[in-house]
Amino acid sequence: MADKTRNELLELDYKTTFDAWRQLVDIRFKLLALLPVASVVGVSQNLPAGACAAAFIFVIGLAVYEIRNTQIHDVLGKRLIDLEPLLGEGDADGDRRGFGPFSTRPQASLHAFGVLRIWHNRSIGIVYGTSAAAWFWRFLTSWQLGWPFILKGQFWPTLASLVVGVAVYREVVRLSEVRP
């Protein structure tokens, strides 16, 4: 195959892969912008338990969708890293890693408070975990079952919602680390 044809195919591969990656990022940011706002607005309403349960299940469904998109996102990013050295001669220092934004981006080496690694999937887990916890709390507090020993005050619904939120957060983070 001629070098010109090979380069054209590599450029097409890179462009197509980048466009797919960008679409996934666009979907992610739209969901991350809308979900917390919709959750806060919805949770502040006086909704029946069934609507709150549906919203909670919807958040879980979106989290599952996000986890799968994260896998595809990561594979596309890896493909872009692999393609970049094939498209260029490296940087000015002769580094053969490539020249593009994917092969030269920094590793996730920042730690909040010196402990918690800064990583975009962690923030995604926080958003989905918090939204799920909010809807679960609203679901529990919307029941009119006359169980004062269980739902008296906000302690038990809040505790149960925190457990649900942490579980969703941990699962989003855990599954986001799994390679496809």
Side-chain angles (χ1 to χ4, degrees):
M1 176 181 339
D3 283 343
K4 183 178 179 184
T5 303
R6 179 178 179 274
N7 286 342
E8 288 172 353
L9 289 174
L10 286 171
E11 288 174 11
L12 178 62
D13 188 356
Y14 189 88
K15 181 186 179 329
T16 304
T17 304
F18 181 78
D19 287 346
W21 178 87
R22 184 174 37 201
Q23 285 177 335
L24 289 175
V25 170
D26 187 49
I27 291 168
R28 170 179 280 169
F29 282 114
K30 286 177 182 174
L31 284 174
L32 290 176
L34 293 174
L35 182 63
V37 172
S39 293
V40 168
V41 169
V43 168
S44 68
Q45 305 300 310
N46 188 16
L47 299 172
C52 297
F56 171 73
I57 292 167
F58 182 66
V59 169
I60 299 301
L62 285 175
V64 170
Y65 176 78
E66 173 59 40
I67 290 164
R68 182 62 180 148
N69 273 1
T70 295
Q71 287 184 314
I72 296 167
H73 168 274
D74 292 349
V75 167
L76 292 172
K78 171 73 171 94
R79 176 72 182 149
L80 291 165
I81 289 169
D82 292 344
L83 286 171
E84 285 179 351
L86 302 174
L87 291 168
E89 296 299 321
D91 66 15
D93 296 329
D95 186 350
R96 299 298 300 169
R97 289 183 309 154
F99 64 93
F102 291 89
S103 58
T104 59
R105 76 180 186 186
Q107 296 294 318
S109 60
L110 298 175
H111 290 78
F113 309 107
V115 178
L116 190 65
R117 184 170 59 109
I118 303 292
W119 174 49
H120 70 272
N121 291 349
R122 187 174 306 276
S123 62
I124 291 167
I126 291 169
V127 169
Y128 282 100
T130 303
S131 295
W135 280 111
F136 193 71
W137 175 83
R138 190 67 182 107
F139 168 69
L140 291 178
T141 59
S142 66
W143 278 354
Q144 303 296 321
L145 298 177
W147 292 350
F149 61 97
I150 293 177
L151 296 176
K152 186 172 184 141
Q154 300 294 316
F155 177 76
W156 292 112
T158 302
L159 181 63
S161 298
L162 285 172
V163 169
V164 166
V166 168
V168 170
Y169 162 79
R170 289 181 54 93
E171 200 62 4
V172 167
V173 169
R174 184 183 73 80
L175 291 174
S176 295
E177 293 175 339
V178 174
R179 299 293 158 221

